[in-house]
Amino acid sequence: MAPPLQVKQLPERIVHATIDGQRVAVPEGTTILAACRSQAAEVPTLCFLETLAPVNVCRACVVEVEGSRALVPACSRPLETDMVVSTRSKRVDKSRRMVLEFLASSVDMSLAGPDVERWMEEYGVDPDRYGPKAAAGADLDARAGRHGPTVGAERATAAQPVKVDNDLYVRDYSRCILCYKCVEACGDQAQHTFALAVAGRGFDAHIATEFEVPLPESACVYCGNCVGVCPTGALMFKSEYDLRQANQWDESRQTVTDTICPYCGVGCTLELHVQDNAIVKVTSPMDHEVTSGHLCIKGRFGFEFVQQRPPAAEPR
Amino acid sequence: MERHLSADAATADERAAVDAILSRPPSPWVGGERSPHALHAARRDESAVPPRDLLLPALRALQAEAGGVSRGAISYLAARMDLPPSDIYGVAAFYALLDVDAPPEAGASVKVHLCDDVVCQLAGAESLIAKLRDRYGAEGEPAGGVSWHRSPCLGQCDRGPAVLVQRAGTYAADIAIASATAEDVARAIADPTPAPTPPATVPQAGDASLVVLRRIGRVDPADLDSYRHAGGYESLRRALALGPESVIQWVTDSGLQGRGGAAFPTGVKWRAVASQAARTHYVVANADESEPGTFKDRVVMEEDPFAVVEALTIAGYATGAEQGFIYVRGEYPLAAARLRHAIARARQRGFLGSNVMGRGLSFDIDVRQGAGAYICGEETALFNSLEGRRGEPRNKPPFPTVHGLFGKPTAVNNIETLLNVLAILAVGPERFRAVGAEDAKGTRLFSLSGAVMRPGLYEAPFGTRLGAVIDMAGGLRPGRTLQAVLLGGAAGSFVGPEALDTPLAPAALRPIGATLGSGVVVVFDDTANLRHTVLRIARFFRDESCGQCVPCRVGTVRQEELVARLAAGTPRGSAADEIRLFHDIAQAMRDASICGLGQTAASAVDSAIRLGILGREGGPA
C-alpha cells in the first residue's frame, strides 16, 4: 500500500520580539498571551479559555504595544516581529483595574475564583466608587437601544432572580460577565447544539434562549459544557447550587477521583467530585485529548445510580 | 442537522414575507410543508439553504408584515435558513427597529419613532412628544395599534423635529417626516399614500463650482438621462480608459482621505485590496451614517443616487471586485428606494451587470438596509450585520482590506468619499488637490444644524474657518450669542466661541482637542441647556453600545450616571472627585474598547468638562 500523501508544511518561522524588556523568540502565530506565559509574565484573563477560540471581549488581558494607539488584547493578537510589549505599564494597569472594577460594580463576582480575587486586590478595585447598587437590577424588558431615565444616584447592576427551570443546572445571570464561553461551548466550538445566544444590546445584552424560553423548551441537551466553561459561577450544577443554598458546599471536604465514563466506547475521563461519600459534581480535565473538558449528559449527570444505597434491610 | 424548533407556526402572511426574500422553499426538507407523501423521499439539498446574509432582509420583511418578529416566524426562518432559533433571536433582539416583544396580534400596528436627540431637542422635540403622549398615551404602550418611542438621531437635523413612522401590515411602509407636527404623524398613521417629499435643504444648490454637491438640484434623482446630461458616467468612462492601476494612482495622488470620520487615505485602502491575492474582493458603501447631527450622506443619496452607483462601480473596477453593497441605515427609506431605482435603471442601460459599458467588466450592486443600530456604521460591525449576524465589531487586525465582508478583502468607503472619486476622475488629481488645506485636500460636506438661520448641507474647502462655515448658514438668529459648537457629532467635541477662527482641518483642530469626524456642526446659542445636551449624548452611547466588551458596555453606563449627577448638581463627594472618576472611566473606554464607539464615547463629555459646561464647582450655573 502506498504511504499516505505527505502535505508539505511551510517551514515554521520564528518571531523575535520584546516583552517587558526581555527578548523572546516564539513560533509565528503565537499569541502575545502565550508568549507572555512562556516568559512567566502573568496576564489576567476572564473570557479566555485554552480550549475555545479567543473572543477578546473582557479586555482584562490588554497590553501596551509600542506604536499602537489603543491597548491590545493579548489573548487574540499574534506576536509580530520586533513588537515591543509592556504587560504592566501605567496604562495597562489602569485599564485592568477599570475592567475588573466595572465588572465588580455590575455583577456578583464572589464565585469568580481566587485569581480574580487576587487581581482585584492587586489592581486596587473599588466598585463602591460608583455609588450604591440600584435596588432593581437589569431591565430585561428593555428593547435594544432604549433604557429608562437615570439620575445617577445608584449604580445599575445585572442583578436578577436565579433561573431554576430544570433538575440539572441553574442559571444565575446576576453573576454573568458576558464572556461568551457558554455560547461558544454550546455552539460550534464544542457541542453544536446552539441552545444559547447573546441577545439584546449594550448593558442589556445577555445570554438567552430564543424568546427567553425555559431550558426544557429550548434545544438544550444538558451536556453541561456551558457550566464547565463558566468562569463566575453564573452557570452551576443543581447539585452544587442546592448544597450552597443549604450552606453545605465545602470544597475542603471534597476529594476528586478520576475514572472512565462507563456509558460508551469513547472512554472520556471523568473527575468525580465527592463530598461526604456522595458525588456532587462531574468534570473532565480540560487538557484531556478526547474531551477537552467537555462531556455529554450521561457522563456529566448520569451518576445517580452510583449513590442509590440499598434500602436498609427490613427486619424479618 | 435537524433543528430543535418550537411548536409555534408562522402565519401564511409571515411565510409569504420570508419567501419573498428567500424565494419559495424548494423542498419540504428546508422549511416547506411536510406531507406524508413528501416524507417518502428524504433528500436534502444544501444548495437550497439560502445564504445567511439574507437574514436581516428577511427579519425586516417580517417586521413590516407582522409588526414584529414572532416565535412562529423565527421557527420558520430557522427551518428555511438552517440556523438555530436562539441565534436568530439574538440577531433580531440586537436591532431597535425589530420588535421581538410584539404582541401576537400586532398585525397592522404602527410604531412612531420620535427623535429626541441633540439637534431635535433644539427644534422642539419635547413639545411634539408631549402632544403625541396626549394623543397616543405613554411611551412604548400600544393604544389602538399605535405606539410611540423616543429615538436617537434620525439624520434629519436640517429640518427637525424628525419622526420615523414604521407602518406594518397591508400598507406597510417606513415614512420619514421632517419637520414633523402631530398632524403629520396622524396623517402618516391613517393615510397609506405617502406625503410629498420636502425638497433637500442644500442652500448652495446649483453652484457649479461645488465638487461633491454640484449636481444637487440640477439632476432628476430618478432619471439616468438627466444624470448623464449633467456629466454622469464620464468618470467611469475615464476610469475604464485609464485602467485600475492608474485609477488607484490618481486617487492616491489626489490626497483623498475618508470622510466617514477616520480620514484614512482612500488610495492606500484601494491599493491594499487590489493587491490581495485572495479572491473574491468586495466593495461596500457605508451609508449607515448615524452620528447624531449627520445627514450629509442621506441628502446625497436622495438627490444624486446615480452618482453613488457610478462611484461604487469605479471602486469595484479599481479594487477588482465584482459585487458591491450599499448598506443604508434603516431610518433612510427614501434614500434606499432611490438607490434601488437608480441601480435598476443602471442595470437596464448596461451601466451595471456582466458587461458594464460594453467593456466586459462585470459589476453589480445590492442595497441592504440596517434596522436601527448606530454601531453598524463601524466597518466591521457593518460586515457582521450584512452577513446576518449581530452588529458587533470585530477585533482589528486583521483589517477589512485583508479580512472583510465574508472574510474576503473588502474596500469599505463612506458615501461622501466615493463621490469625491468622481470629481478626481473628472478633473484630475492635481486640480482636485489644489483646493483645501495642507493636510486635507478637497472640500468637505458640513451637516450644519442648530441655532443658525439656514440649517442645511454645505460644502466648503478644508481649512475654511469655523466662523465662515456658520456664516454660510446665515449666522445665528438675531439677538442671539454663540454658546458652543458641537463638532463631529456625539463622538466629537464641544468647542467654545474662541474656536470660530480655527480653520476646519485636522492639524488646526488638534490643539483644541477637536476633530471634524463626519462633518457635524451643531450650533448652540445662549438659550440652549448644554448640560441637557451632554446628558443626552451620554444616554446615546449607553443605548448604542453593542455590549460586547466590558469597557464600553459598563463604561457608558457609569458615564451616564456620572453625567446625570453632574448635570443635576448632585455630585458624589465634590465635583472634582467626579471629574477624577470620569477621567478613569474615559481612559479605560479609550484605551481598552474594541472599536471606535467605545474609544470615542467619552470625547464629548470630556470636552464639556474642559469648557466648564459640566462639573464646575458649586453645581450648575
Side-chain angles (χ1 to χ4, degrees), chain B residues 321-389:
Chain B
E322 295 192 352
Q323 177 68 50
F325 290 92
I326 307 177
Y327 186 96
V328 185
R329 73 178 294 205
E331 292 84 346
Y332 286 176
L334 182 64
R338 288 193 171 167
L339 284 169
R340 287 202 173 101
H341 175 83
I343 288 166
R345 277 304 157 91
R347 201 179 286 136
Q348 210 174 40
R349 299 278 294 275
F351 289 105
L352 286 174
S354 57
N355 188 13
V356 173
M357 290 185 89
R359 298 288 298 274
L361 173 70
S362 177
F363 186 76
D364 216 323
I365 299 176
D366 210 345
V367 173
R368 294 296 171 87
Q369 285 178 271
Y374 168 71
I375 185 59
C376 291
E378 198 281 340
E379 55 192 12
T380 58
L382 187 155
F383 297 151
N384 278 342
S385 177
L386 213 154
E387 291 177 18
R389 299 170 202 284

Side-chain angles (χ1 to χ4, degrees), chain A residues 59 91 147 152 156 194 212, chain B residues 86 89 543 561 565 584 591-592:
Chain A
R59 316 306 274 185
R91 279 175 77 199
H147 70 277
F194 302 97
E212 329 284 334
Chain B
S86 60
Y89 173 75
D543 277 339
E561 291 165 350
R565 293 192 295 268
D584 279 357
D591 275 352

Side-chain angles (χ1 to χ4, degrees), chain B residues 56-308:
Chain B
L56 190 53
L59 288 169
R60 284 183 49 93
L62 282 166
Q63 179 70 40
E65 178 55 46
V69 181
S70 71
R71 292 179 179 214
I74 283 193
S75 273
Y76 183 62
L77 263 181
R80 288 293 321 269
M81 302 191 74
D82 193 19
L83 291 173
S86 60
D87 197 352
I88 299 176
Y89 173 75
V91 172
F94 186 84
Y95 295 97
L97 297 182
L98 300 177
D99 188 357
V100 291
D101 298 320
E105 69 282 4
S109 68
V110 179
K111 284 190 173 59
V112 180
H113 302 271
L114 270 121
C115 176
D116 73 341
D117 216 323
V118 170
V119 184
C120 282
Q121 281 292 346
L122 303 175
E126 290 301 333
S127 80
L128 178 59
I129 285 173
K131 283 183 194 143
L132 294 191
R133 191 183 290 121
D134 286 347
R135 212 173 275 200
Y136 306 108
E139 179 181 6
E141 289 177 16
V146 178
S147 60
W148 67 272
H149 311 263
R150 288 173 185 267
S151 162
C153 181
L154 292 169
Q156 310 268 1
C157 325
D158 46 342
R159 47 195 183 196
V163 166
L164 178 75
V165 177
Q166 223 184 346
R167 210 168 49 206
T170 313
Y171 299 107
D174 292 341
I175 304 153
I177 314 172
S179 88
T181 63
E183 287 65 42
D184 294 333
V185 173
R187 194 178 320 115
I189 290 170
D191 183 357
T193 53
T197 316
T201 42
V202 183
Q204 294 162 292
D207 182 347
S209 72
L210 298 175
V211 176
V212 178
L213 299 179
R214 55 183 300 128
R215 284 171 301 272
I216 306 263
R218 291 169 58 214
V219 299
D220 175 353
D223 184 359
L224 178 53
D225 287 323
S226 152
Y227 177 66
R228 292 186 66 203
H229 282 307
Y233 278 105
E234 288 305 318
S235 293
L236 177 58
R237 190 179 301 279
R238 166 79 57 92
L240 291 169
L242 284 170
E245 181 52 36
S246 298
V247 171
I248 292 176
Q249 196 56 50
W250 278 35
V251 172
T252 307
D253 291 346
S254 74
L256 176 63
Q257 297 168 342
R259 304 291 201 241
F264 191 81
T266 307
V268 174
K269 186 185 280 185
W270 284 16
R271 173 154 289 132
V273 174
S275 64
Q276 285 296 316
R279 299 281 150 166
T280 311
H281 294 181
Y282 291 104
V283 286
V284 175
N286 184 346
D288 193 57
E289 70 172 356
S290 312
E291 185 65 50
T294 316
F295 51 87
K296 65 188 178 78
D297 294 339
R298 172 181 60 78
V299 171
V300 168
M301 291 185 288
E302 287 177 356
E303 300 301 321
D304 200 5
F306 286 103
V308 177

Side-chain angles (χ1 to χ4, degrees), chain A residues 55-59 62 69-73 76-77 80 90-91 94-95 97-99 101-103 105-106 128-132 141-157 176-178 180 192-206 208-213 216-220, chain B residues 1 3-4 6 69-71 74 84-87 89-91 93-101 111 113 139 149-152 372-375 390 392 395-397 535 539 542-551 553-555 557-558 560-562 564-565 570 572 580-581 583-585 587-594 599:
Chain A
V55 291
N56 58 61
V57 298
C58 76
R59 316 306 274 185
V62 287
R69 191 172 41 87
L71 300 178
V72 164
S76 63
R77 181 75 175 268
E80 291 162 26
K90 265 194 175 144
R91 279 175 77 199
K94 172 65 77 63
S95 275
R97 173 201 172 171
M98 295 304 292
V99 161
E101 200 169 86
F102 281 161
L103 287 174
S105 74
S106 53
D128 293 327
R129 291 207 286 164
Y130 307 96
D141 293 329
R143 295 186 51 198
R146 318 230 188 284
H147 70 277
T150 177
V151 291
E154 297 173 319
R155 62 183 209 247
T157 73
C176 176
I177 61 168
L178 223 64
Y180 289 56
H192 285 262
T193 290
F194 302 97
L196 300 172
V198 181
R201 190 164 90 192
F203 196 64
D204 301 307
H206 59 283
T209 59
E210 63 273 18
F211 294 98
E212 329 284 334
V213 298
E217 289 173 38
S218 77
C220 179
Chain B
M1 191 174 102
R3 299 274 175 203
H4 175 97
S6 78
V69 181
S70 71
R71 292 179 179 214
I74 283 193
S86 60
D87 197 352
Y89 173 75
V91 172
F94 186 84
Y95 295 97
L97 297 182
L98 300 177
D99 188 357
V100 291
D101 298 320
K111 284 190 173 59
H113 302 271
E139 179 181 6
H149 311 263
R150 288 173 185 267
S151 162
Y374 168 71
I375 185 59
R390 291 165 57 79
E392 294 173 353
N395 212 65
K396 291 187 278 194
L535 182 56
R539 195 176 111 212
R542 173 172 173 178
D543 277 339
E544 298 300 332
S545 166
C546 80
Q548 188 184 199
C549 71
V550 174
R553 178 175 78 236
V554 186
V557 174
R558 299 292 173 246
E560 190 205 9
E561 291 165 350
L562 187 150
R565 293 192 295 268
T570 53
R572 270 175 60 76
R580 265 191 300 278
L581 180 58
H583 286 307
D584 279 357
I585 296 171
Q587 189 183 341
M589 290 201 284
R590 198 165 46 234
D591 275 352
S593 295
I594 291 179
Q599 289 165 8

Side-chain angles (χ1 to χ4, degrees), chain A residues 43-103:
Chain A
V43 175
T45 58
L46 295 167
C47 69
F48 176 79
L49 194 68
E50 285 75 2
T51 52
L52 302 172
V55 291
N56 58 61
V57 298
C58 76
R59 316 306 274 185
C61 73
V62 287
V63 294
E64 190 161 353
V65 171
E66 254 185 44
S68 174
R69 191 172 41 87
L71 300 178
V72 164
C75 66
S76 63
R77 181 75 175 268
L79 196 70
E80 291 162 26
T81 301
D82 294 336
M83 244 184 196
V84 179
V85 178
S86 316
T87 66
R88 291 303 298 260
S89 70
K90 265 194 175 144
R91 279 175 77 199
V92 168
D93 280 10
K94 172 65 77 63
S95 275
R96 284 196 192 144
R97 173 201 172 171
M98 295 304 292
V99 161
L100 292 163
E101 200 169 86
F102 281 161
L103 287 174

Side-chain angles (χ1 to χ4, degrees), chain B residues 481-486 494-497 522-525 530 611 613:
Chain B
T481 53
L482 181 67
Q483 192 178 172
V485 176
L486 179 60
F494 291 94
V495 295
V522 186
V523 178
F524 299 88
D525 66 20
L530 284 176
L611 290 184
I613 296 167

